Every structure is written in C-alpha cells, then in structure tokens.
Amino acid sequence: MIRRFKHVSARTKILLFAFLFIILPSGILGYLGFRSIGNRGLSLKENYRSMARLMRDELEGELSNLEGRFVREILNQEWTQDIQAAQLLLARVRGRHPAIGETFIVGTDGSLIHPEFYLEAGVPRRGEPGSVLTSRNSFIEQGERYEFAELDYPSAARTYEEAVRRAASPELRSYARLLLGRCYFKMKNYAKAGEQYRILSEQSQEARSSDGTPLKIIGLFRLAETYASLGEGDNEVKTLMALFQELSLSPGAFESREFYLESVQAGLDRVSQSRVLGKSEQDRWDRLKLEDIARTERIRRLEGARLALLSQLDLGASQNDKNDGSPGPDSALASHLTTRDEDGTPHRLGYLFLPSKAALPGRRVLAYEIDKTYVLTELFPRLIGREEAGESIRAGLFSEEVPLTSLPDAPPPGQALAAENLSEYFPWWRLALFDTREKSIEQLVRREMRLYGAVLLGIAVLILSGIVMTLRAATHEAETVRLRSDFVSNVSHELKTPLSLIRLFGETMESDQWTDDGKRREFSRIIARESRRLTYLIDNILDFSKIDSGRKEYAFERGDLVKVISDTLEAYRFYLRDQGFVFDVSLPSGPIFISMDKDAIAQAVLNLLNNAEKYSGEQKYIGVKMALQGAQVLITVEDRGPGIPPSEVKHIFEKFYRGGHGPAREAQGCGLGLTIVKSTVEGHGGHISVESELGRGSRFITTLPLAGKENSLHGVSEVENGQDPDR
Ligand code: ADP
C-alpha cells in the first residue's frame, strides 16, 4: 500500500493531504462553529429570560415588603368607632407609605365610610342632605300672586324684596332671592337680577329646591343666563365653568344634575360660536373636564371595588378573622382580590379587617391599592436602574403592547429579548428586556453567523488559493524535472555525435590506411568542423550555466556590429552552401558602432542561424537582414521551414524547452539556444520577438539600441540604397 503510494503523482498527494488535513478538519470546525453560535442564541435567550425573571422577582419582593410594612403599621394602630378619627389616622399612616394608592373603608352596613364622596344614588353620604325647602312665608305667596296671576312684576319684585329682608332662615332668604332675581329678569332688569343670583351663587349653605337641586347651582345657572342677556360673554363663560366645577364636585346628588351639565356644554358651545374662547378660558375648561373625568372614574372604581369587596366578605360576621396576630409572610396579613373597571382595566385590591379593641356589632374593612404611578415612576426605575444588565440592555413594563415605563424609543414587546409576566402584583403587566440597538436575539445570532461565515469564507479562499499555488508549483517543479532529464539526454546525444565522428576519422587517419592527401584533408576538415561544433555546444552550455546562476557578465566594448555579424555569417556560409541552402544576406555597407560583448553577440546570431538551419525542413532557405530603425538596429533571421505552432510560441524562450510537434522534434537540440539569445539581447538593452506561420516559416527579429548617433548617418543611407546585399 505504502509502496504503491510512492508512485502516486505529487499533484494527487497534495490534493489528498490538503483534503485530509486541511479541508476536512476546516469543514468540521466551521460546522461546529456555526452550531455553537446557534446554541449561543439559545443560551442567550435563557440568560435574558432568567434576568427578566430576577428583575420581576425583585420588583415583586420589594412591593410585598412595602405592602407588608403598611399593613403592619395599620394593624398596630388603635382604631376607634369615631369615623373622623379613623380618617385622620389613615391619612397619617398613608403619608408614610408612598407605595399605597387609593384606600377606602367599608363600614358595618356595607357602605363606604371613607373617602367622602357623593356617590351614586343608593349610596348614602355622610351627614344629612341639605335642607329642602318646604315652608314658604306670606310675602313669597303674595309675590307669586302678583307675578303669575296679575303679571304685575314691579309689585311682585317689591314683595319679594320684603321677603328677603324678613326671611326667618338663611335657606328661606336664599329662596326669596331666587324669586326676586327671576322677577327682575322678567322685567329685563338684568343688572339687578344678576346681583341677586351672584349673592345666591356665593353663599355656602346647602339650601335645596323642592326637587333637591342646590340653590347655589340654580343661582349660577341663572347668573350665566343673565350675563348672556347682558351680552357679557367673558362673565358668562366664567360662570358656566364655575357651575361645571360645582356640578362635578357633587355627582349624583340630585336628579337634575344631567340637565345642568348639558346646559353648561350648550352654553359654552353657544359662546364659542360667536367668539373664540381665550387661551386661559380654554385651558381652564379643559382642566375642569379632565378633573371631572378623573373624579367620575375614581368614583366608579371605588364603587366597583366596594361591590367586589362586599361579595367576598360577610361584614357582619366577626369570625373568619385573619388578623389575630398570627405570624405569616407580610402580604399574608392581608387578602387580595382583582377587580375590573367597566373598560376592563384590572385593579388589584388588598384588604384587611381593621383591628378594634371595643366589642363591635360588625367589622370594618380597610381596602387599599398599590399605587401604579409610584411603581412605574419611582420603584421600577430605582430597582431596575440598579441592575447591571449590560450596556445596551433596558428593561420596561408593559400592559398588553403599551409601554408603561418610559423606554427611549421602546420597540414593541414582540421584539423583546425576553418578557416575563408579573405574577403577584399587577399580573396583567409584563416585564420585558430590550437591546436598545433594536437587535432581537435572532438578529444578533444572524449577525454573528454572517460575520463567522465571512471569516470562514476568507479562510477557505486562502486555503484553496494556497492549494492551487502549491499544485501549480508542484506541476512546474515536475515539468522542470522532466525538462532537466530531457536536457541531460539531449546534451549527451548532441555531444556524442561530433565526438564519435572525431574519433572515427581520427582513428582512420591514424591507421595510415589513407595515404591520399585529398582524403586526409577532408578527414581533418571534418574533424575540425566537429570540434567547432563541440566547442559551440560546450560554449552554449557554459553560457547557459552562467546565465542561469546569474553569473553571466558581458565584456562590453565599443565595436562594429556589422563586422561581428558578417564574420559570423562568413564562417557559416560555406557550410550552408554545402548543405544546399540559399543564404540570403543583406547588411549595411558601413559600420554600425554599438557597445557590446562581441563573443556573446556572435554566439546569439549563431544560435539563431543554427535554429533556422535545423528547423528549415524541405525549404532550405535562410535570410539574414540588418537595418537601422530610428535609434535601434534590427537584425532579422528568417527561414521558410514548417514554423512554430502558436501554442508553443510563448514557451520557446524558456530554458530547456523544446518544441514537441512536427519535424522540430526530430532535430537535435537541448532547449538552450533561444534562452541564451534572449538573455544576451536583453543584456544589451535590446528585445527579441518572433513571427511565425505554420508551413511558411519563422522570422526572429532582434532589436539592439545604438551606441551613438554617428552610426545612423552611415547606416540609414546605405541600407536604403540597397547596397551590398550579400556581404
Ligand atoms: P533547441 O533548438 O536546442 O531545441 P532552442 O532554445 O534553440 O532549443 O529552441 C527551442 C524550440 O523552439 C525548438 O525546440 C524549436 O521547437 C523551436 N524553434 C526555434 N527556432 C525555430 C525555427 N527557426 N523554426 C521552428 N521552430 C523553432
């Protein structure tokens, strides 16, 4: 197995190693990385959830503490049957417990004792209702006769004035004023009517008309009417608002309340049609309306709470006593129930029996709410502000989707990192945690995944390009090794041929068999030629070795390029003629001086000629031209051989490279000739290129820079004259 592995190509080995030791482990690591990021998402979620739970527990624990403290203080007080004393005591205790919101006491009969409110019909208010007028006096009766039977208003007014003056009680006096005002009004004496109504509206006692309407209300209403008749809009508005405030403070106390409320609205509407309400008027009106709404809402809530409480309790019973001092958790000292407003808003109510030493026929119950506003604006920010939840993590309280606590740009709770319902207090609230950068966990995880994916991709690209580069290097190495081994066999072959010829003819001459001088001369010429060939070959190899190792140095000297080239051609000319070549040479007649290494240039030209000869095939033609072109001299070596395939053209100047097609392969060589030519030409600051067409031949064009200007004068003229083409 291992032995077989040795013969596997380097490429396959590299690929196998890369796969086993790099790609596969990286893939596994990448997969594990993705999985752990996914798991991190889950554990993050769990973290945030427990963080939310912790915060919730802390909030509820603190609430339980606060409630317990309040309840314990209530239980430690001495409560008597005196309602006013109880109210004072409660107010004092409450003042020390800002967390406690609305409180109320339900009495033995199920009625609300505290706070003092005029409640809906059927709920008795404390104390007697204002005295309702039943009695009249003779002046009033006389006045009414004038007013209604005889329609004699002045006499009626006089009589009513008398009634005011002689009234036996303040209530009766107020009533007489009402009648007097009405009479003046009928007389269109609005100033005097207004005066009576104003006095009436400013009085404090609680006189009521026969249908139970407070006279103060009637007075205000009529005063507004009077101002309307006088055209005093400002005063009318002011009076209407005063009337509204009065009405709103005594809800449900009398039957005609709705009528008066509507009248206020209608009156203000009317005024605002003829003139715009002033800013302060409008503000006051808005505030009054809000206060009214708040009051109405509060009364409804209390009433709802009272009814809910009643359904839970048997107030008459003194058993089922929860607070006889038995120790227990704070909130267990009190019971709890949840009530709902008409609009469904839930409220949680705590309640407990007020302790009393006196033997009582029944018990009183104190009920209380935890103050939402306190929780939201004080407690929650204080407690949660302490939490170290991370820089951008914020907590908020929500009811349904509505944020209760202020969160800067709170996203909807659907985007929360975690949300926990409150359980004991405000069970309809939720505590939610957010990242203020508005990142849900999914987004965070996705972002990390993307980042990780990008890094992974980068690494993969690096690894793959590394592998590709290694493969290319290996391929190149393998190619070089192949070329080198080809080179060695090519060189041996090339050296062998001249050597065996030299030996053969040398031995033949030695044997004295050939005495013929002609033959001897021919043999020695062959020996000399083959020696030259050997020298040329060895020169090439030595040159190449210097070039390849970077040790090649050119011995530059100023010289005539035309002469160097024509000498080189001369040495070759006879040989080519023997071989049956047409040798077409065209050189300038005068010298061209450049700075050069003569031997190197001669060797390069020789290499080109040698190639032209080797690769000329059937068409035995070699053309050499030399010409000036601007500041350069052009040397062209051309043949009409089979040419070079386009795919090989870019390689022919590479070391050891030998063409692989056609007759080129049959020619001997070791792939160094053109490498040396290129290196020499470039070493002289020149350039070599090749134009080749399959079947038509190749042309190697060498350009060398001129050494000085004086050359161009000679060169150009003579070349242009076409002188001496066969030098
Ligand atoms: P060698 O001639 O020893 O093979 P060279 O470096 O001189 O090495 O040439 C490289 C290759 O270029 C040759 O093997 C041959 O395929 C191609 N080549 C060079 N000169 C010619 C030419 N004149 N005509 C066709 N092919 C040529």
Side-chain angles (χ1 to χ4, degrees):
M1 168 81 189
I2 289 175
R3 207 178 309 144
R4 212 181 297 159
F5 190 69
K6 274 186 184 161
H7 299 294
V8 172
S9 79
R11 257 175 109 96
T12 320
K13 276 185 204 162
I14 291 171
L15 279 175
L16 202 66
F17 272 101
F19 180 75
L20 280 179
F21 298 109
I22 303 176
I23 299 177
L24 196 66
S26 306
I28 293 173
L29 278 179
Y31 169 73
L32 290 179
F34 272 118
R35 256 196 30 185
S36 90
I37 292 179
N39 288 342
R40 220 169 83 76
L42 287 183
S43 75
L44 257 181
K45 213 172 236 174
E46 201 38 60
N47 273 356
Y48 284 127
R49 193 172 298 155
S50 52
M51 198 186 289
R53 226 172 280 151
L54 259 173
M55 287 180 176
R56 190 236 4 235
D57 291 350
E58 184 167 0
L59 181 69
E60 295 202 321
E62 184 61 15
L63 277 171
S64 169
N65 258 341
L66 293 172
E67 186 191 1
R69 251 182 266 159
F70 170 72
V71 169
R72 257 175 288 141
E73 194 166 340
I74 289 288
L75 291 178
N76 284 337
Q77 304 300 319
E78 197 55 53
W79 297 92
T80 64
Q81 283 296 303
D82 181 350
I83 288 165
Q84 248 159 3
Q87 280 180 353
L88 274 175
L89 190 56
L90 183 57
R92 227 179 307 132
V93 175
R94 263 194 63 188
R96 290 192 284 271
H97 296 273
I100 302 301
E102 195 76 73
T103 51
F104 60 94
I105 302 173
V106 179
T108 47
D109 55 356
S111 65
L112 208 51
I113 297 173
H114 166 85
E116 270 187 283
F117 264 115
Y118 301 151
L119 290 171
E120 304 285 344
V123 184
R125 54 188 282 257
R126 194 173 63 83
E128 286 300 303
S131 43
V132 175
L133 278 171
T134 43
S135 63
R136 309 160 154 236
N137 61 20
S138 56
F139 289 103
I140 289 175
E141 276 162 15
Q142 178 59 36
E144 280 179 338
R145 254 197 307 281
Y146 281 130
E147 188 184 348
F148 292 106
E150 298 173 22
L151 301 180
D152 179 357
Y153 298 134
S155 305
R158 267 194 305 280
T159 318
Y160 287 143
E161 273 170 13
E162 206 54 34
V164 169
R165 230 171 289 132
R166 298 184 181 218
S169 67
E171 285 82 13
L172 206 55
R173 180 172 302 119
S174 296
Y175 186 60
R177 271 192 207 287
L178 194 66
L179 301 181
L180 180 58
R182 183 178 68 193
C183 202
Y184 281 140
F185 193 87
K186 281 181 180 168
M187 291 161 71
K188 298 209 176 14
N189 190 343
Y190 298 125
K192 283 200 163 177
E195 196 186 326
Q196 294 309 316
Y197 290 142
R198 200 164 32 247
I199 296 169
L200 204 57
S201 68
E202 282 162 5
Q203 67 179 10
S204 56
Q205 88 270 22
E206 292 244 325
R208 291 184 174 227
S209 75
S210 52
D211 67 352
T213 315
L215 294 188
K216 191 175 182 173
I217 299 269
I218 304 176
L220 278 167
F221 176 67
R222 297 246 180 105
L223 183 60
E225 264 184 349
T226 313
Y227 281 134
S229 303
L230 283 169
E232 293 183 21
D234 288 359
N235 284 329
E236 187 189 359
V237 169
K238 230 179 267 168
T239 313
L240 284 172
M241 288 187 190
L243 175 58
F244 180 80
Q245 194 171 18
E246 195 62 32
L247 285 166
S248 114
L249 283 172
S250 52
F254 54 96
E255 274 175 27
S256 52
R257 183 171 176 271
E258 277 310 305
F259 161 78
Y260 285 105
L261 275 173
E262 279 163 22
S263 304
V264 170
Q265 189 65 62
L268 283 169
D269 280 352
R270 203 185 51 245
V271 175
S272 61
Q273 263 167 21
S274 54
R275 64 182 262 279
V276 181
L277 288 183
K279 169 122 177 55
S280 62
E281 283 174 339
Q282 188 63 55
D283 286 353
R284 172 140 193 258
W285 176 227
D286 291 343
R287 201 177 60 241
L288 286 175
K289 275 190 290 193
L290 279 180
E291 280 171 10
D292 182 56
I293 290 169
R295 242 189 313 265
T296 317
E297 198 243 353
R298 183 175 175 217
I299 287 161
R300 285 229 186 86
R301 217 171 70 226
L302 279 175
E303 186 53 11
R306 187 183 69 92
L307 292 175
L309 202 56
L310 285 181
S311 68
Q312 294 271 314
L313 297 172
D314 182 3
L315 285 174
S318 55
Q319 67 274 34
N320 188 18
D321 198 343
K322 290 193 174 203
N323 5 289
D324 20 85
S326 55
D330 290 344
S331 53
L333 293 173
S335 310
H336 295 97
L337 64 90
T338 303
T339 66
R340 272 179 193 280
D341 282 356
E342 278 168 15
D343 64 356
T345 316
H347 298 275
R348 188 177 146 96
L349 212 62
Y351 61 92
L352 72 160
F353 289 93
L354 283 179
S356 172
K357 294 250 162 67
L360 293 170
R363 310 292 304 268
R364 284 187 190 160
V365 171
L366 170 73
Y368 56 87
E369 283 179 350
I370 298 288
D371 189 18
K372 273 187 212 173
T373 319
Y374 174 78
V375 175
L376 295 178
T377 59
E378 305 252 340
L379 192 63
F380 183 75
R382 177 157 54 84
L383 284 181
I384 305 309
R386 281 209 314 251
E387 297 290 337
E388 278 296 323
E391 250 173 60
S392 56
I393 309 295
R394 301 271 175 284
L397 285 176
F398 284 80
S399 169
E400 308 287 331
E401 297 291 285
V402 186
L404 299 169
T405 42
S406 80
L407 269 176
D409 331 309
Q415 276 188 24
L417 300 172
E420 280 297 318
N421 283 332
L422 268 62
S423 51
E424 283 212 32
Y425 299 88
F426 310 107
W428 54 92
W429 283 3
R430 276 203 297 167
L431 189 150
L433 284 183
F434 295 96
D435 194 317
T436 45
R437 289 167 303 183
E438 286 196 33
K439 292 267 156 52
S440 63
I441 290 182
E442 284 74 17
Q443 270 174 304
L444 284 173
V445 167
R446 230 175 294 143
R447 203 184 57 168
E448 270 191 36
M449 288 246 189
R450 263 203 301 272
L451 202 74
Y452 184 73
V455 171
L456 218 61
L457 195 75
I459 293 175
V461 166
L462 281 180
I463 289 177
L464 285 180
S465 39
I467 290 171
V468 168
M469 272 156 66
T470 314
L471 277 179
R472 279 177 62 162
T475 312
H476 188 75
E477 187 67 19
E479 183 65 12
T480 313
V481 167
R482 190 181 65 75
L483 288 175
R484 263 180 212 277
S485 86
D486 281 2
F487 168 74
V488 171
S489 79
N490 287 337
V491 166
S492 324
H493 197 73
E494 286 236 357
L495 292 177
K496 223 167 128 184
T497 319
L499 267 180
S500 41
L501 279 176
I502 290 170
R503 211 179 84 195
L504 176 71
F505 286 100
E507 280 170 3
T508 314
M509 279 168 78
E510 208 177 28
S511 67
D512 288 340
Q513 214 175 331
W514 306 93
T515 45
D516 179 356
D517 267 359
K519 285 278 178 214
R520 269 180 176 275
R521 255 198 310 280
E522 192 190 337
F523 289 171
S524 54
R525 213 173 53 234
I526 291 175
I527 289 174
R529 193 190 69 204
E530 292 304 314
S531 314
R532 268 202 308 278
R533 204 166 125 197
L534 255 182
T535 315
Y536 160 78
L537 272 173
I538 289 168
D539 279 352
N540 251 359
I541 292 169
L542 288 177
D543 262 1
F544 168 75
S545 121
K546 280 186 191 150
I547 289 167
D548 198 37
S549 60
R551 281 181 292 117
K552 176 74 187 170
E553 278 173 13
Y554 296 102
F556 286 106
E557 59 180 315
R558 200 172 149 76
D560 179 8
L561 181 62
V562 180
K563 182 167 181 343
V564 171
I565 289 181
S566 71
D567 286 353
T568 312
L569 296 182
E570 213 50 53
Y572 220 68
R573 185 187 291 271
F574 299 105
Y575 169 74
L576 285 179
R577 206 173 43 205
D578 284 354
Q579 303 291 313
F581 271 86
V582 175
F583 195 34
D584 180 12
V585 177
S586 159
L587 297 180
S589 55
I592 295 176
F593 287 100
I594 69 167
S595 165
M596 65 182 158
D597 181 325
K598 286 181 194 161
D599 292 342
I601 292 285
Q603 179 86 1
V605 172
L606 216 54
N607 280 353
L608 289 173
L609 287 175
N610 196 20
N611 276 354
E613 181 221 331
K614 270 197 296 187
Y615 303 112
S616 59
E618 302 295 302
Q619 296 294 322
K620 292 183 177 290
Y621 169 89
I622 296 176
V624 179
K625 290 196 177 65
M626 191 175 170
L628 278 172
Q629 196 179 64
Q632 292 175 321
V633 56
L634 241 70
I635 305 160
T636 316
V637 178
E638 186 182 350
D639 64 69
R640 295 188 180 156
I644 309 163
S647 61
E648 293 185 4
V649 167
K650 59 176 181 289
H651 296 298
I652 56 174
F653 293 102
E654 290 168 11
K655 63 180 175 187
F656 308 131
Y657 182 84
R658 303 214 61 222
H661 299 285
R665 201 72 190 118
E666 288 151 24
Q668 286 202 356
C670 40
L672 295 182
L674 288 180
T675 313
I676 293 167
V677 174
K678 186 170 167 25
S679 163
T680 305
V681 169
E682 286 174 358
H684 281 72
H687 174 75
I688 181 160
S689 63
V690 60
E691 292 167 1
S692 185
E693 205 178 327
L694 277 182
R696 311 206 71 167
S698 318
R699 180 187 289 138
F700 287 83
I701 304 147
T702 306
T703 54
L704 290 171
L706 287 173
K709 263 187 181 171
E710 73 267 18
N711 299 312
S712 61
L713 296 172
H714 293 287
V716 171
S717 58
E718 277 141 356
V719 170
E720 275 175 354
N721 288 338
Q723 297 282 308
D724 197 9
D726 197 27
R727 232 186 82 172

